[in-house]
């Protein structure tokens, strides 16, 4: 039973401190307050006294994510949509990331841009990637993502090579604007409850690598993981990725995990990549050409997948697409267009059973060849009409006026 003078709110009065049998201490306004350690001065408060106005309270500590020794499906513009990521999860991808979202479009409330941040329940380790060039907008964007989406990490795209992004100072442009880059990372980190990661290239010019200079700085700025694509902006996707340079950067980044990215199309490529000392590998075009690469890496084998198994994979994508975009006319055509974008990459795959030497290399142009059955030959075709024919097997005939041109005009074979 409470006694008068005991704890009220969060404050202990003089009467409680003095004990029930002692006389009350009367202090006149003119007299100095008692200095005895046993007697506390009376304090009047309205409600509990807190330090919320002094110290910013966070709802939780920053989430910890163990990125090491995982297979990371790269954020792929256009092709890295939710249905495609579901296909890759089935084949064994560990980490998935949404397509690159433009910071300004997110802040303007574009529904199509916010849709890129949607996560499927099968994606157990999922992040989103944002692109921007100003600290204030990127920080506000991170705050919105933190409050309104369900993600495990947020990634800054500082590796995008396209002119539209680079000329505004975003993407690869951030690598040469270190002051802005630092402000963006620190600002986003201050409002996020999940880890902040960064994706970079070796540099802007082909023979002038600058990533190693940035990595030391980024460790101090507070990034939780770095992904390095072993090519410069000028190279785009031509020439081979520089895995020797990635190895050097991995040592500099320690203890921050660094993932390597570039030219991985087989489990042998992945094994060689892991020998460089990276914490894990990110797979981009390799996953578009053969999504079952994740299974190959985990099982250390070459999978001579049949054309019927690949058609079953496309059936799964079709079902996932109709579930995601809808089964009305608009949803069907969206599913078809994204499937055709994917087929523009998948046609580069050469079945293991037909190779003169194993494994296939990602930057070698596939020769024209006849498959072991009609469907395998159809899937190997680089003719748009044949891709459309495959889509018609799954989604029905296209409208008479239908036309398709792939968005990705990759120059990886030049």
């Amino acid at each position: 039973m409470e006694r008068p003078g005991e704890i009220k709110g969060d404050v202990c009065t003089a009467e409680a401190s003095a004990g029930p049998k002692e006389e009350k201490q009367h202090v006149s306004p003119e007299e100095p307050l008692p200095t005895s350690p046993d007697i506390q001065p009376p304090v009047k408060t309205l409600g509990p006294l807190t330090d919320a106005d002094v110290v910013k309270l966070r709802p939780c500590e920053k989430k910890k994510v163990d990125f090491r020794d995982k297979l990371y499906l790269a954020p792929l513009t256009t092709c890295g949509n939710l249905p495609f990521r579901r296909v890759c999860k089935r084949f064994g991808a560990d980490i998935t990331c949404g397509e690159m979202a433009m910071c300004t479009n997110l802040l303007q409330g574009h529904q199509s841009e916010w849709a890129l941040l949607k996560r499927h329940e099968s994606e157990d380790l999922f992040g989103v990637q944002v692109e921007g060039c100003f600290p204030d907008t990127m920080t506000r964007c991170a705050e919105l993502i933190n409050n309104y989406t369900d993600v495990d990490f947020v990634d800054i795209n500082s590796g995008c090579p396209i002119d539209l992004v680079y000329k505004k100072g975003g993407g690869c442009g951030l690598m040469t604007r270190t002051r802005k880059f630092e402000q963006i990372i620190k600002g986003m980190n201050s409002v996020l409850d999940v880890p902040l990661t960064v994706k970079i290239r070796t540099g802007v010019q082909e023979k002038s690598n600058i990533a190693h200079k940035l990595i030391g700085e980024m460790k101090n700025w507070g990034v939780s993981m770095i992904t390095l694509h072993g090519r410069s902006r000028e190279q785009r996707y031509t020439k081979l990725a520089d895995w020797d340079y990635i190895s050097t950067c991995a040592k500099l980044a320690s203890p921050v995990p660094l993932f390597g990215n570039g030219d991985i199309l087989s489990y042998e490529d992945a094994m060689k990549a892991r020998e460089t000392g990276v914490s894990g590998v990110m797979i981009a075009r390799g996953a578009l050409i053969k999504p079952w690469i994740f299974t190959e890496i985990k099982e250390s084998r070459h999978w001579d997948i049949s054309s019927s198994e690949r058609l079953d994979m496309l059936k799964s994508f079709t079902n996932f697409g109709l579930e995601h975009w809808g089964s009305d006319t608009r949803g069907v055509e969206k599913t078809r267009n994204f499937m055709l974008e994917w087929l523009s990459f998948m046609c580069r795959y050469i079945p293991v059973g037909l190779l003169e030497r194993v494994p296939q290399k990602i930057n070698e142009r596939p020769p024209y060849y006849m498959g072991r059955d009609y469907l395998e030959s159809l899937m190997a075709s680089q003719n748009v009409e044949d891709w459309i024919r495959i889509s018609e097997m799954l989604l029905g005939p296209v409208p008479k006026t239908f036309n398709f041109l792939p968005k990705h005009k990759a120059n990886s074979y030049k």
Side-chain angles (χ1 to χ4, degrees), residues 66-91:
D66 182 14
F67 293 104
R68 295 177 191 276
D69 298 317
K70 289 182 169 60
L71 296 177
Y72 187 168
L73 171 65
L76 301 160
T77 305
T78 305
C79 294
N81 47 67
L82 185 145
F84 177 75
R85 298 198 305 268
R86 287 182 68 180
V87 170
C88 291
K89 280 301 293 182
R90 282 191 168 188
F91 283 116

Side-chain angles (χ1 to χ4, degrees), residues 54-255:
V54 180
V55 180
K56 184 184 175 186
L57 299 179
R58 299 292 293 274
C60 65
E61 294 182 1
K62 196 175 281 288
K63 181 176 180 177
K64 302 289 184 188
V65 175
D66 182 14
F67 293 104
R68 295 177 191 276
D69 298 317
K70 289 182 169 60
L71 296 177
Y72 187 168
L73 171 65
L76 301 160
T77 305
T78 305
C79 294
N81 47 67
L82 185 145
F84 177 75
R85 298 198 305 268
R86 287 182 68 180
V87 170
C88 291
K89 280 301 293 182
R90 282 191 168 188
F91 283 116
D94 296 313
I95 307 172
T96 53
C97 187
E99 301 172 60
M100 179 183 77
M102 310 288 273
C103 173
T104 48
N105 292 347
L106 290 172
L107 292 179
Q108 289 168 8
H110 291 193
Q111 189 176 353
S112 58
E113 210 73 16
W114 278 98
L116 301 178
L117 311 186
K118 189 174 180 181
R119 170 187 200 159
H120 187 260
E121 59 185 11
S122 66
E123 298 180 277
D124 49 353
L125 186 44
F126 173 74
V128 294
Q129 187 183 69
V130 289
E131 176 280 320
C133 49
F134 299 109
D136 55 346
T137 54
M138 286 288 275
T139 301
R140 177 59 181 147
C141 191
E143 196 171 20
L144 292 173
I145 290 169
N146 193 67
N147 294 339
Y148 297 106
T149 64
D150 175 24
V151 297
D152 297 307
F153 65 93
V154 175
D155 187 65
I156 300 173
N157 184 323
S158 46
C160 182
I162 63 173
D163 293 340
L164 177 69
V165 172
Y166 176 74
K167 287 180 178 176
K168 289 191 298 183
C172 273
L174 283 176
M175 295 185 69
T176 57
R177 301 167 68 232
T178 51
R179 181 67 185 138
K180 290 283 186 193
F181 202 2
E182 178 184 0
Q183 291 172 345
I184 287 171
I185 290 173
K186 288 182 174 178
M188 291 178 75
N189 241 336
S190 69
V191 297
L192 284 172
D193 295 324
V194 294
L196 182 67
T197 66
V198 176
K199 185 171 188 286
I200 59 176
R201 283 178 175 251
T202 58
V204 178
Q205 279 79 34
E206 186 174 342
K207 295 180 179 177
S208 179
N209 294 337
I210 59 173
H212 62 281
K213 298 175 185 175
L214 271 176
I215 285 169
E217 297 288 334
M218 287 193 287
K219 285 166 65 177
N220 299 326
W221 298 342
V223 299
S224 298
M225 186 187 78
I226 301 164
T227 304
L228 177 58
H229 183 174
R231 294 184 180 87
S232 65
R233 176 182 180 264
E234 278 186 356
Q235 284 178 284
R236 297 289 177 103
Y237 299 98
T238 56
K239 300 188 180 176
L240 296 176
D242 189 348
W243 278 93
D244 290 334
Y245 183 65
I246 292 175
S247 177
T248 302
C249 290
K251 294 180 180 70
L252 291 173
S254 183

Side-chain angles (χ1 to χ4, degrees), residues 258-275:
L258 184 138
F259 273 53
N261 171 226
D263 299 340
I264 295 173
L265 190 61
S266 68
Y267 86 86
E268 292 171 347
D269 294 334
M271 293 292 285
K272 287 177 184 173
R274 291 306 309 274
E275 289 169 5

Side-chain angles (χ1 to χ4, degrees), residues 78-79 337-345 404 406-408:
T78 305
C79 294
N337 273 287
F338 283 114
M339 180 187 291
L340 292 171
E341 291 284 357
W342 178 19
L343 287 170
S344 71
F345 282 93
F404 175 74
K407 283 185 182 179
H408 290 266

